[in-house]
Amino acid sequence: GDFVTVAETSIWNWQQGAMLQWSPTDPENTIIYNDYREGRYVSIQRDLSSNDEVIYDLPAYALTQDGQYIFSLNFARLFDKRPGYGYAGLADPFAEQKHPDKDGIFRLDTQSGKSELIISLDQLANLNPLPSMTDHYHWINHIQVSPGSSRIAFFHIWESGETSWDVRFYTSKVDGTDLKCILDTGDISHYDWKDEKTILAWAKHPDGGATHFLLCDIESGSIEIFAKDSLKVDGHCSFSPDGLWVLNDTYPDEYNLRTLMLIRISDQKRIDLQSFYSPKEKWWGEIRCDLHPRWNRNGSKICIDSVHTGTRQMHSIDLEGII
C-alpha cells in the first residue's frame, strides 16, 4: 500500500497524463513517459531496477510491440486546440500555419535515435479536401498501433467553426504508406484495434444513419454495427487480451453516473459491472475524470480512474467469477 516514487515529470495533461506506459519489450521493469528536458518535450525510457534512463528526442504517443518505433505528434499544437490532451509550456512552431508540411505524425527509431515525418498535415489537408477544411487549423490526435504493429490508426482533425471541429479516421502502414481513410462521417470518437485489419469505433454510419459502435474492415472496406441493442452511447472501448470481450464505459448520465460494462463478443451480451458517481458540476470540461478502463496483461483485472470517493483516484477491479 505504499507509494514509491520512480520518476517525476514536468509535463502532463488531464486526459492522458504523461503518456506513461510499460515498455513492450520489458513490461515488468521498464517504463516510458514524456518529460520536459533542456527546453523541449522528450520521452524517457527508465529501468526501474537500476534507475538508468534513455532519452529520446520526441515525446511518445504510441509504440510498436517490438519497441523499435515511437510515434509522436506536435503536443504544443494539440494543447492549443485540445488542452486536455496536449502539453503546456512550449509554443507551437507552426502556430501561424493552418496545415504545415513539416508537421504531422513523426516516427522515431529507438535503435538509431533518428526520427522522420511520415505523414504531414499538409498532405492530409489536400487529400480529398472538403470546403470546411479551407482556412482552418488542422492537427493530429489519438495515434494507436495495431496489435501486430503492422499499421497505425489516427484522427485527422480540423476546425470547422469557432468552437467545433470535424474528424477523419485514417490508417496507414507504420512507415506512413498505404494511407486509407476508414471513416469520413465527421462524427468519430473512441476506437480500438481488434486485429491487424479490424477496428471498433464509435462513429456515425456512412449510410447517413445514427451513431453506433462500428466494426470496420480496413481491407474490404466493410462496416458492421456492433452490439446495436446494448451499446447505445459513446465510451472508451478496448478488447480483452484474449479477444473475447469488449470493455467499455459511459459519460455521466442524467444522474451523474458513469457505467462500466463488459460485452461478450460471441453473443454481444452486456454485463454492467458498476456505476460511479461523477458530478458534472465539479468534474467536467478539461478536468473531467473519465473512467478510461484498461485491462491488465492477462485480462483478469481492469483499472479505472474515478472521482466517486470525492477525489480523483485509481481503482482496480477483479474480474474473477465474472468472465
Side-chain angles (χ1 to χ4, degrees):
D2 293 334
F3 286 93
V4 180
T5 300
V6 296
E8 294 183 354
T9 180
S10 299
I11 57 174
W12 187 83
N13 60 53
W14 284 99
Q15 298 307 311
Q16 297 178 327
M19 300 301 291
L20 173 67
Q21 50 201 298
W22 293 104
S23 168
T25 57
D26 184 18
E28 296 294 335
N29 187 61
T30 303
I31 58 174
I32 295 176
Y33 61 95
N34 294 334
D35 200 358
Y36 177 84
R37 301 280 182 94
E38 298 180 352
R40 58 199 172 99
Y41 299 145
V42 299
S43 51
I44 308 294
Q45 178 176 294
R46 183 177 296 277
D47 185 305
L48 299 184
S49 299
S50 64
N51 212 33
D52 291 341
E53 66 176 29
V54 177
I55 303 175
Y56 298 115
D57 286 338
L58 289 176
Y61 201 107
L63 287 80
T64 53
Q65 287 301 308
D66 60 4
Q68 182 177 359
Y69 296 117
I70 289 174
F71 296 93
S72 186
L73 49 74
N74 184 346
F75 280 93
R77 190 179 189 90
L78 186 55
F79 177 80
D80 290 342
K81 304 306 173 185
R82 293 297 305 276
Y85 296 87
Y87 297 136
L90 293 180
D92 174 16
F94 306 104
E96 301 303 315
Q97 300 180 45
K98 303 296 176 62
H99 42 85
D101 60 4
K102 292 181 171 57
D103 191 13
I105 298 178
F106 298 85
R107 186 182 71 167
L108 182 145
D109 188 314
T110 58
Q111 301 302 311
S112 67
K114 295 181 179 179
S115 61
E116 60 180 328
L117 178 68
I118 59 171
I119 299 172
S120 77
L121 287 171
D122 189 63
Q123 175 186 356
L124 295 170
N126 286 289
L127 186 61
N128 300 317
L130 298 173
S132 62
M133 294 181 178
T134 303
D135 203 34
H136 282 113
Y137 283 93
H138 296 242
W139 66 95
I140 301 290
N141 203 0
H142 295 300
I143 305 170
Q144 188 176 331
V145 183
S146 64
S149 299
S150 65
R151 303 186 70 86
I152 61 171
F154 62 92
F155 289 165
H156 166 217
I157 310 171
W158 64 96
E159 293 175 329
S160 56
E162 290 186 5
T163 59
S164 60
W165 59 81
D166 282 325
V167 183
R168 272 180 176 167
F169 190 25
Y170 279 99
T171 179
S172 77
K173 291 182 178 179
V174 292
D175 61 358
T177 62
D178 192 31
L179 185 64
K180 295 181 179 180
C181 183
I182 307 171
L183 290 165
D184 188 15
T185 57
D187 188 359
I188 306 164
S189 186
H190 305 100
Y191 74 92
D192 191 34
W193 286 92
K194 181 178 185 289
D195 50 43
E196 293 308 289
K197 69 170 189 174
T198 314
I199 295 178
L200 178 68
W202 177 262
K204 182 180 289 186
H205 199 286
D207 66 6
T211 307
H212 303 280
F213 271 108
L214 305 176
L215 275 171
C216 306
D217 188 309
I218 63 177
E219 292 182 358
S220 69
S222 66
I223 295 176
E224 172 188 342
I225 297 175
F226 175 76
K228 180 179 181 180
D229 296 329
S230 56
L231 291 180
K232 298 183 178 181
V233 294
D234 187 13
H236 302 85
C237 60
S238 62
F239 289 92
S240 60
D242 61 11
L244 300 179
W245 298 84
V246 169
L247 175 64
N248 194 47
D249 63 353
T250 69
Y251 287 104
D253 62 15
E254 58 184 315
Y255 305 106
N256 283 321
L257 294 174
R258 297 176 181 268
T259 301
L260 182 68
M261 70 195 74
L262 291 165
I263 299 88
R264 188 165 54 204
I265 295 176
S266 60
D267 58 4
Q268 300 188 358
K269 179 183 177 181
R270 170 173 161 170
I271 300 173
D272 286 356
L273 299 175
Q274 185 78 26
S275 292
F276 300 90
Y277 185 59
S278 183
K280 292 179 70 172
E281 64 269 17
K282 183 177 181 181
W283 308 92
W284 199 238
E286 181 186 345
I287 67 168
R288 71 186 182 277
C289 185
D290 300 339
L291 297 183
H292 287 149
R294 53 268 185 197
W295 300 88
N296 68 353
R297 285 192 284 275
N298 64 14
S300 63
K301 295 181 180 181
I302 56 177
C303 185
I304 64 167
D305 308 318
S306 184
V307 293
H308 67 271
T309 61
T311 59
R312 196 183 192 101
Q313 301 292 339
M314 293 170 59
H315 303 266
S316 177
I317 301 171
D318 196 329
L319 298 178
E320 183 177 358
I322 299 175
I323 63 173

